[in-house]
Amino acid sequence: MTADATALEVPVPPAARKVPSDRTHHGDTFVDHYEWMRDKESPELIEYLERENAYTEAVARHQEPLREAIFTEIKDRTQETDLSVPARKKGWWYYSRTEEGKQYGIQCRVAAADTGDVGRDWTPPEVVPGRPVPGEQIMLDGNELAEGKPFFSLGGLSVTEDGTLLAYCEDNAGDERFTLRVKDLTTGELLPDEVPNVFYGLAFSPDGSRVYYTVVDDSWRPYQVRSHTLGTAVTDDDVVYQEDDVAMWTGFEVSADRTQLLISIGCSEYSEYRVLDLARPDAGLTTLISRDERILYDAEPVVIDGAAHYLLTHDRDARNSMVSLVRASEFDRPLADQEWTTVLPHDDAVRVNGLTVTQTHLVLSVRKDTIERVQVLPLAGLGSSDQELPTEPDFDEELFTCNLANAEFESPVIRLSYTSYLTPPRVYDYVLAAGSLELRKETDVRGGYDPAEYVAERQWAPAADGTLIPLSVVRRADLAQDGTHPAVVYAYGSYEVSMDPAFSIARLSLLDRGIVYVTAHIRGGGEMGRTWYEQGKKLAKKNTFTDFVDATTYIGSSGWADPARIAAIGGSAGGLLMGAVANLAPEKYRAIVAQVPFVDALTTILDPELPLSALEWEEWGNPITDPEVYRYMKEYTPYENVRPVAYPRIAAVTSYNDSRVLYVEPAKWVAQLRETTTGTEPIVLKTEMDGGHGGASGRYSRWRDIAWDYAFAAEAVGATDVLARSTSSVE
């Protein structure tokens, strides 16, 4: 074969047409040559994305065996026919199950018994994968609902108190706009009630006559809570509450005791609650603490000594939040005159995330030493000198996550989920009266998984300003600390979201190829409390990016990783992180995988008409009104800071119907990268044409998406083969 013939086989990226478009703010003009790609319905745009997909397929074709191997490993390790642990609500045990070969879960229930033996009545029935469950009733089969549809996702489920009706929301486009339907569980028939274009979350009224749901505006901001009365026309649905401030997010939940509809309106810095008495819905809403007080809080009603109170998780003189008990009548008085009783005082080392109640106990979610934990204390004596100290379930791992999974108001137990980097997900029941744990299930990992063959440990990377950044480092136990191993560094670093320890079957495929997997808990996340978050937002946002680079430098010098064999992965706001570090330190990465990346942040946030843009002002600042925010954001937003350097190989993975980070951001970014890079590494755009923010729907489709991303990174760092196991150095 001639050299010319060989050259013809090298894939050629599609050329992106350049059309200058000026964007002027605060005296600064940015010329954007690819803004034309925002026209989603343009035949030219669709054809361009399809050509990009063809180019990506050609560039990555040689990775297909590796992708297939990783997909097969995920599939073979997963218990495909499986069931969740049944959770009791009123007279039924509810659970979901999956079947081998099927993409979607099946929602089921079986009748519960009331024998008078509390322990027996609240012990879930034994359900065994692959074995029929006596008396099982299938409420929804996602596989049947998804048949013939390009996308399928459920946005919420709610069952009436008497167990006769099921409301659910279904999305068939991936744009997170759902259709609400109601099913009669006694007959299996759908009611004529059908409500289009609803958002996540729904709940029945206690009497089952109404369904509450949320609606988004044209910019995808949830702004209305509505009520649909069964048997009436959708056009007659009541607007229970409407929020007109474009920077505020609206949601709702029914209180734990099922007496109140709690409507929360807020941003990341302050909030407001409007409360509806469900026994007297015509009485209208009452406000607890006005947003004008600039307090960030959550509220849960509770009855103490026969009197109505609220438990508040709040940041009033408490940066990490605390818990106070307030008599309901106090909210009729000015804030300065109200009497609040401290239940859980503020602690600089403990972040209080929220709470719920049962009829006997208060259940707290807190974060201490980066770890999410659950604490409980009795309602008896709450807020008095007789109040007991919180107790906490005890676990024996250093890095773990314990979350509240379910707490039915009448239940004597609460359901906990537990996982770590090495322990597959477990389900516990915590017996409130005894303070004891009952293990109900540990997820089975097929193929002989042995946690002793891996190590998870905490390391600390010094940032340039002296701050120590916590890292979670997971690796094979038989790796030597000889500085030769490939590594993947992952992070998010925004919205006070924490990347908590969790088991991942897919990650085993990287670990078994000798990859050291590092999660960098950088500023902007919530791992180290509220201050940690505030040090990585608005005019301190650059700390997020430099922390990631500093973490990479540390890993490359730690003895565990070869600094020339490091890849980076991040998604959404973590995709913005990927774009930023690509500009800051392209030489440190062999590859970067940016999943649904928020890489054109300044353009997006400058346009409040774009989806969710106005809601971002409390995270990044408002560049429309503040020239300092504009200047600062322009210094780091990835698309506008692409520069003539040798970029590593980059994969931007997106979805055409993503309503959170529009496809246009990675599409423009990839075009600009290709035009500007001085290197020869491929830069590809992979667009899921039928997916949403989370990619394609269906578990097998998701596994293939993960396998694609992991293969792209693993091949780049030279980690394509599974390592043989050495027992000589196992710790």
Side-chain angles (χ1 to χ4, degrees):
M1 183 178 291
T2 67
D4 288 344
T6 301
L8 290 174
E9 295 179 0
V10 176
V12 177
R17 183 167 60 94
K18 297 176 68 174
V19 181
S21 174
D22 292 352
R23 188 200 70 205
T24 301
H25 288 270
H26 305 296
D28 174 75
T29 297
F30 171 66
V31 181
D32 189 341
H33 293 282
Y34 300 112
E35 181 62 11
W36 66 268
M37 295 182 183
R38 193 172 300 279
D39 184 0
K40 185 179 180 182
E41 304 305 321
S42 163
E44 179 186 8
L45 180 275
I46 295 172
E47 189 267 342
Y48 173 75
L49 294 179
E50 290 172 344
R51 285 191 291 125
E52 283 283 4
N53 279 345
Y55 172 68
T56 298
E57 183 179 352
V59 166
R61 184 171 292 124
H62 66 287
Q63 296 169 7
E64 175 59 29
L66 178 57
R67 289 198 297 270
E68 193 61 31
I70 293 174
F71 171 80
T72 300
E73 289 161 14
I74 296 171
K75 186 174 183 293
D76 288 349
R77 286 182 171 126
T78 300
Q79 178 70 48
E80 294 185 68
T81 298
D82 204 0
L83 304 98
S84 64
V85 179
R88 180 163 182 172
K89 178 182 177 181
K90 300 296 184 182
W92 295 87
W93 290 99
Y94 293 87
Y95 60 97
S96 63
R97 59 180 174 85
T98 56
E99 294 181 1
E100 185 173 355
K102 294 186 177 181
Q103 291 264 33
Y104 302 97
I106 303 168
Q107 310 300 320
C108 309
R109 68 179 184 176
V110 294
D114 289 304
T115 65
D117 182 334
V118 173
R120 179 179 176 183
D121 291 346
W122 287 90
T123 297
E126 182 182 9
V127 290
V128 179
R131 184 187 301 171
V133 180
E136 177 183 84
Q137 178 182 1
I138 295 177
M139 299 188 299
L140 282 181
D141 186 336
N143 304 284
E144 294 180 359
L145 292 175
E147 189 172 352
K149 299 169 184 174
F151 184 92
F152 172 77
S153 177
L154 290 175
L157 297 170
S158 181
V159 180
T160 52
E161 295 286 289
D162 64 7
T164 60
L165 298 177
L166 167 72
Y168 66 95
C169 294
E170 179 181 354
D171 172 17
N172 298 130
D175 60 2
E176 299 179 282
R177 291 203 178 189
F178 299 85
T179 298
L180 187 159
R181 296 185 173 92
V182 180
K183 183 176 182 179
D184 186 331
L185 293 177
T186 60
T187 66
E189 300 296 323
L190 288 177
L191 273 60
D193 303 79
E194 186 173 294
V195 185
N197 296 321
V198 308
F199 197 55
Y200 289 102
L202 69 160
F204 275 108
S205 60
D207 65 3
S209 66
R210 298 180 305 282
V211 183
Y212 294 97
Y213 62 94
T214 308
V215 175
V216 296
D217 62 15
D218 291 339
S219 65
W220 253 256
R221 176 184 68 94
Y223 81 115
Q224 283 185 346
V225 176
R226 295 184 185 177
S227 170
H228 173 72
T229 300
L230 297 184
T232 66
V234 173
T235 53
D236 295 333
D237 286 2
D238 294 327
V239 176
V240 181
Y241 178 77
Q242 176 171 314
E243 176 55 50
D244 294 323
D245 186 336
V246 296
M248 301 293 275
W249 185 288
T250 303
F252 75 90
E253 62 181 356
V254 175
S255 62
D257 63 7
R258 307 290 295 171
T259 64
Q260 298 180 22
L261 187 74
L262 306 173
I263 299 176
S264 58
I265 309 106
C267 60
S268 65
E269 298 187 347
Y270 54 90
S271 57
E272 178 178 282
Y273 267 74
R274 306 287 180 97
V275 177
L276 181 70
D277 184 344
L278 290 172
R280 299 184 303 118
D282 295 336
L285 299 171
T286 59
T287 301
L288 299 185
I289 305 168
S290 168
R291 70 191 72 182
D292 296 335
E293 303 292 352
R294 291 303 192 260
I295 296 174
L296 186 64
Y297 71 101
D298 292 319
E300 184 71 44
V302 64
V303 175
I304 302 293
D305 295 330
H309 290 72
Y310 285 91
L311 282 162
L312 301 182
T313 306
H314 65 91
D315 68 350
R316 186 185 185 192
D317 300 322
R319 183 180 295 273
N320 268 343
S321 292
M322 59 184 289
V323 178
S324 296
L325 180 66
V326 185
R327 188 179 287 263
S329 58
E330 289 293 305
F331 295 113
D332 296 331
R333 307 167 64 191
L335 180 64
D337 298 334
Q338 294 175 13
E339 294 184 8
W340 293 18
T341 301
T342 297
V343 171
L344 189 70
H346 179 257
D347 187 334
D348 285 332
V350 179
R351 178 73 166 108
V352 183
N353 294 322
L355 61 82
T356 190
V357 295
T358 70
Q359 60 185 354
T360 59
H361 283 75
L362 166 61
V363 185
L364 294 159
S365 170
V366 303
R367 184 177 299 279
K368 183 179 181 181
D369 300 327
T370 79
I371 300 300
E372 184 87 3
R373 307 162 188 268
V374 171
Q375 296 181 344
V376 299
L377 70 162
L379 292 179
L382 198 69
S384 72
S385 59
D386 296 327
Q387 177 182 309
E388 297 184 16
L389 294 175
T391 59
E392 182 179 307
D394 187 32
F395 302 103
D396 58 5
E397 292 185 90
E398 176 192 12
L399 304 179
F400 67 89
T401 301
C402 179
N403 289 318
L404 177 67
N406 187 51
E408 281 299 307
F409 187 70
E410 299 87 357
S411 175
V413 302
I414 57 173
R415 177 67 52 82
L416 303 179
S417 63
Y418 176 91
T419 186
S420 76
Y421 291 113
L422 305 182
T423 302
R426 292 175 178 171
V427 175
Y428 288 98
D429 277 344
Y430 183 77
V431 183
L432 293 167
S436 59
L437 283 170
E438 301 286 345
L439 178 63
R440 299 304 187 192
K441 179 179 180 179
E442 179 173 319
T443 299
D444 182 42
V445 182
R446 298 167 62 187
Y449 167 71
D450 182 357
E453 295 176 342
Y454 305 89
V455 172
E457 58 191 5
R458 171 59 42 79
Q459 297 184 25
W460 298 85
D465 62 3
T467 301
L468 292 178
I469 308 157
L471 309 179
S472 296
V473 182
V474 190
R475 56 180 171 81
R476 280 258 294 251
D478 57 356
L479 296 185
Q481 194 173 356
D482 58 10
T484 66
H485 308 297
V488 165
V489 185
Y490 170 83
Y492 186 77
S494 291
Y495 303 107
E496 204 180 355
V497 173
S498 299
M499 297 294 102
D500 290 324
F503 186 78
S504 167
I505 283 179
R507 188 171 55 228
L508 295 176
S509 293
L510 297 184
L511 299 178
D512 283 348
R513 287 169 171 80
I515 291 175
V516 178
Y517 193 96
V518 181
T519 301
H521 305 289
I522 53 183
R523 281 175 283 187
E527 289 89 343
M528 299 284 282
R530 184 71 178 185
T531 299
W532 195 253
Y533 166 53
E534 291 173 346
Q535 289 177 357
K537 67 180 292 193
K538 290 190 174 179
L539 295 180
K541 188 63 197 173
K542 291 179 186 177
N543 285 333
T544 301
F545 315 134
T546 56
D547 280 1
F548 189 89
V549 173
D550 291 339
T552 303
T553 301
Y554 169 83
I555 287 298
S557 62
S558 68
W560 288 112
D562 179 348
R565 300 176 69 195
I566 297 177
I569 299 179
S572 197
L576 182 151
L577 169 67
M578 294 298 99
V581 301
N583 292 331
L584 281 174
E587 72 284 354
K588 289 188 177 291
Y589 304 98
R590 286 290 299 133
I592 292 176
V593 179
Q595 302 157 324
V596 288
F598 188 37
V599 282
D600 192 19
L602 188 52
T603 299
T604 294
I605 296 174
L606 282 167
D607 187 351
E609 299 303 315
L610 290 177
L612 305 180
S613 291
L615 297 171
E616 302 288 352
W617 294 337
E618 296 301 331
E619 180 72 19
W620 316 93
N622 187 344
I624 298 174
T625 60
D626 191 332
E628 177 65 7
V629 170
Y630 177 91
R631 177 200 62 78
Y632 188 80
M633 289 191 69
K634 188 165 184 182
E635 289 176 356
Y636 71 71
T637 191
Y639 177 57
E640 295 180 39
N641 286 281
V642 173
R643 57 194 179 96
V645 294
Y647 282 93
R649 65 189 67 178
I650 294 175
V653 181
T654 188
S655 293
Y656 181 64
N657 290 322
D658 191 340
S659 60
R660 295 175 183 260
V661 179
L662 300 186
Y663 71 88
V664 66
E665 298 202 23
K668 291 166 59 175
W669 180 53
V670 164
Q672 189 63 52
L673 283 167
R674 285 214 199 103
E675 179 187 356
T676 311
T677 184
T678 62
T680 59
E681 293 286 356
I683 298 170
V684 301
L685 174 69
K686 177 175 175 281
T687 305
E688 172 58 58
M689 299 304 289
D690 292 317
H693 193 60
S697 64
R699 57 176 176 165
Y700 297 107
S701 299
R702 286 194 297 272
W703 295 347
R704 290 200 178 278
D705 285 347
I706 294 169
W708 196 99
D709 295 352
Y710 278 7
F712 188 91
E715 194 249 351
V717 298
T720 58
D721 297 325
V722 173
L723 303 183
R725 294 201 178 274
S726 170
T727 59
S728 60
S729 60
V730 173
E731 300 176 5

Coordinates of all heavy atoms in Angstrom, one line a residue, residues 27-59:
G27 N -18.9 46.8 27.4 CA -17.8 47.4 26.6 C -16.9 46.3 26.0 O -16.0 46.7 25.3
D28 N -17.2 45.1 26.2 CA -16.4 44.0 25.6 C -17.2 43.3 24.5 O -18.3 42.9 24.7 CB -16.0 43.0 26.7 CG -15.2 41.8 26.1 OD1 -14.0 42.0 25.8 OD2 -15.8 40.7 26.0
T29 N -16.5 43.1 23.4 CA -17.2 42.3 22.3 C -16.4 41.0 22.0 O -15.2 41.0 21.9 CB -17.2 43.2 21.0 OG1 -17.9 44.4 21.2 CG2 -17.8 42.4 19.8
F30 N -17.2 40.0 22.1 CA -16.7 38.6 21.7 C -17.3 38.2 20.4 O -18.5 38.3 20.2 CB -17.0 37.6 22.8 CG -16.7 36.2 22.5 CD1 -15.4 35.8 22.3 CD2 -17.7 35.3 22.3 CE1 -15.1 34.5 22.0 CE2 -17.4 34.0 22.0 CZ -16.1 33.6 21.8
V31 N -16.4 37.8 19.5 CA -16.9 37.3 18.2 C -17.0 35.8 18.2 O -16.0 35.1 18.4 CB -15.9 37.8 17.1 CG1 -16.4 37.3 15.7 CG2 -15.8 39.3 17.1
D32 N -18.2 35.3 18.1 CA -18.5 33.9 18.2 C -18.8 33.4 16.8 O -19.7 33.8 16.1 CB -19.6 33.7 19.1 CG -19.9 32.2 19.4 OD1 -19.4 31.3 18.7 OD2 -20.6 31.9 20.4
H33 N -17.9 32.5 16.3 CA -18.1 32.0 14.9 C -19.0 30.8 14.8 O -19.3 30.3 13.7 CB -16.7 31.6 14.3 CG -15.8 32.8 14.1 ND1 -16.0 33.7 13.0 CD2 -14.8 33.3 14.8 CE1 -15.1 34.7 13.1 NE2 -14.3 34.5 14.2
Y34 N -19.4 30.2 15.9 CA -20.1 29.0 15.9 C -21.5 29.1 16.6 O -22.1 28.0 16.8 CB -19.3 27.8 16.5 CG -18.0 27.6 15.8 CD1 -16.8 27.9 16.4 CD2 -17.9 27.2 14.4 CE1 -15.6 27.7 15.7 CE2 -16.7 27.0 13.8 CZ -15.6 27.3 14.4 OH -14.4 27.1 13.7
E35 N -21.9 30.2 16.9 CA -23.2 30.4 17.5 C -24.4 29.9 16.6 O -25.5 29.6 17.1 CB -23.4 31.9 17.9 CG -24.7 32.2 18.6 CD -24.9 31.5 20.0 OE1 -23.9 30.9 20.5 OE2 -26.0 31.5 20.5
W36 N -24.1 29.9 15.3 CA -25.2 29.4 14.4 C -25.6 28.0 14.8 O -26.8 27.6 14.4 CB -24.7 29.4 13.0 CG -23.6 28.5 12.6 CD1 -22.3 28.7 12.7 CD2 -23.7 27.1 12.2 NE1 -21.5 27.6 12.3 CE2 -22.4 26.6 12.0 CE3 -24.8 26.3 12.0 CZ2 -22.2 25.3 11.6 CZ3 -24.6 25.0 11.6 CH2 -23.3 24.5 11.4
M37 N -24.8 27.2 15.5 CA -25.2 25.9 15.8 C -26.3 25.8 16.8 O -26.8 24.7 17.1 CB -23.9 25.1 16.4 CG -22.8 24.9 15.4 SD -21.4 24.0 16.2 CE -20.2 24.0 14.9
R38 N -26.7 26.9 17.4 CA -27.8 26.9 18.4 C -29.1 26.6 17.8 O -30.1 26.2 18.5 CB -27.8 28.2 19.1 CG -28.7 28.2 20.4 CD -28.5 29.5 21.2 NE -27.2 29.7 21.7 CZ -26.6 29.1 22.7 NH1 -27.4 28.3 23.4 NH2 -25.4 29.4 23.1
D39 N -29.2 26.8 16.5 CA -30.5 26.5 15.8 C -30.7 25.0 15.7 O -30.3 24.3 14.8 CB -30.5 27.1 14.4 CG -31.8 27.0 13.7 OD1 -32.8 26.4 14.2 OD2 -31.9 27.4 12.5
K40 N -31.4 24.5 16.7 CA -31.5 23.0 16.9 C -32.3 22.3 15.7 O -32.0 21.2 15.4 CB -32.2 22.7 18.2 CG -32.3 21.3 18.5 CD -33.0 21.0 19.9 CE -33.1 19.5 20.2 NZ -33.8 19.3 21.5
E41 N -33.2 23.0 15.1 CA -34.0 22.4 14.1 C -33.4 22.6 12.7 O -34.0 22.1 11.7 CB -35.4 23.0 14.1 CG -36.1 22.9 15.4 CD -36.2 21.5 15.9 OE1 -36.4 20.6 15.1 OE2 -36.0 21.3 17.2
S42 N -32.2 23.2 12.6 CA -31.6 23.5 11.3 C -31.2 22.2 10.7 O -30.4 21.4 11.3 CB -30.4 24.4 11.5 OG -29.5 24.3 10.4
P43 N -31.6 21.9 9.4 CA -31.1 20.7 8.8 C -29.5 20.6 8.7 O -28.9 19.6 8.8 CB -31.7 20.7 7.4 CG -33.0 21.6 7.6 CD -32.6 22.6 8.6
E44 N -29.0 21.8 8.5 CA -27.5 21.9 8.4 C -26.9 21.4 9.8 O -25.9 20.7 9.8 CB -27.0 23.3 8.1 CG -25.5 23.4 8.0 CD -25.1 24.9 7.9 OE1 -25.9 25.8 7.9 OE2 -23.8 25.1 7.7
L45 N -27.5 21.9 10.9 CA -26.9 21.5 12.2 C -27.1 20.0 12.4 O -26.1 19.4 12.8 CB -27.7 22.3 13.2 CG -27.3 22.1 14.7 CD1 -28.0 21.0 15.4 CD2 -25.8 22.0 14.9
I46 N -28.2 19.5 12.1 CA -28.4 18.0 12.3 C -27.5 17.2 11.5 O -26.9 16.2 11.9 CB -29.9 17.7 12.0 CG1 -30.8 18.4 13.0 CG2 -30.1 16.1 12.1 CD1 -32.3 18.2 12.7
E47 N -27.3 17.6 10.2 CA -26.4 16.9 9.3 C -24.9 17.0 9.9 O -24.2 16.1 9.8 CB -26.5 17.5 7.9 CG -25.8 16.7 6.8 CD -24.4 17.3 6.6 OE1 -24.1 18.4 7.0 OE2 -23.6 16.5 6.0
Y48 N -24.6 18.2 10.4 CA -23.3 18.4 11.0 C -23.0 17.5 12.2 O -22.0 16.8 12.3 CB -23.1 19.8 11.4 CG -21.8 20.1 12.1 CD1 -20.6 20.1 11.4 CD2 -21.8 20.3 13.5 CE1 -19.4 20.3 12.1 CE2 -20.6 20.5 14.2 CZ -19.4 20.5 13.5 OH -18.2 20.7 14.1
L49 N -24.0 17.4 13.1 CA -23.9 16.5 14.2 C -23.7 15.0 13.8 O -23.0 14.3 14.4 CB -25.1 16.6 15.2 CG -25.2 18.0 15.9 CD1 -26.4 18.0 16.7 CD2 -24.0 18.3 16.7
E50 N -24.5 14.6 12.8 CA -24.4 13.3 12.3 C -23.0 13.0 11.6 O -22.4 11.9 11.8 CB -25.5 13.0 11.2 CG -26.9 13.0 11.9 CD -28.0 12.9 10.9 OE1 -27.7 13.2 9.7 OE2 -29.1 12.6 11.3
R51 N -22.4 14.0 11.0 CA -21.1 13.9 10.4 C -20.0 13.8 11.6 O -19.1 13.1 11.5 CB -20.7 15.0 9.5 CG -21.4 14.9 8.1 CD -20.9 15.9 7.1 NE -21.2 17.3 7.4 CZ -20.3 18.2 7.6 NH1 -19.0 18.0 7.4 NH2 -20.7 19.5 7.9
E52 N -20.3 14.6 12.6 CA -19.4 14.5 13.8 C -19.4 13.1 14.4 O -18.4 12.5 14.8 CB -19.8 15.5 14.8 CG -19.3 16.9 14.5 CD -17.8 17.2 14.8 OE1 -17.1 16.2 15.1 OE2 -17.4 18.3 14.6
N53 N -20.6 12.5 14.5 CA -20.8 11.2 15.0 C -20.0 10.1 14.2 O -19.4 9.2 14.7 CB -22.2 10.8 15.2 CG -22.9 11.3 16.4 OD1 -22.2 11.7 17.3 ND2 -24.2 11.3 16.5
A54 N -20.1 10.3 12.9 CA -19.4 9.4 11.9 C -17.9 9.5 12.1 O -17.2 8.5 12.1 CB -19.8 9.7 10.5
Y55 N -17.4 10.8 12.3 CA -16.0 11.0 12.5 C -15.6 10.3 13.8 O -14.5 9.7 13.9 CB -15.7 12.5 12.5 CG -14.3 12.8 12.9 CD1 -13.2 12.5 12.1 CD2 -14.0 13.4 14.1 CE1 -11.9 12.8 12.5 CE2 -12.7 13.8 14.5 CZ -11.7 13.4 13.7 OH -10.4 13.7 14.1
T56 N -16.4 10.5 14.8 CA -16.0 9.9 16.2 C -16.0 8.4 16.0 O -15.1 7.8 16.6 CB -17.1 10.4 17.2 OG1 -17.0 11.8 17.3 CG2 -16.8 9.7 18.5
E57 N -16.9 7.9 15.3 CA -16.9 6.4 15.2 C -15.7 5.9 14.4 O -15.1 4.9 14.8 CB -18.2 6.0 14.4 CG -18.3 4.5 14.2 CD -19.6 4.1 13.5 OE1 -20.5 5.0 13.3 OE2 -19.8 2.9 13.2
A58 N -15.3 6.7 13.4 CA -14.1 6.3 12.7 C -12.8 6.4 13.5 O -12.0 5.5 13.5 CB -14.0 7.2 11.4
V59 N -12.7 7.5 14.3 CA -11.5 7.7 15.1 C -11.4 6.6 16.2 O -10.3 6.2 16.5 CB -11.6 9.1 15.8 CG1 -10.6 9.2 16.9 CG2 -11.3 10.2 14.7

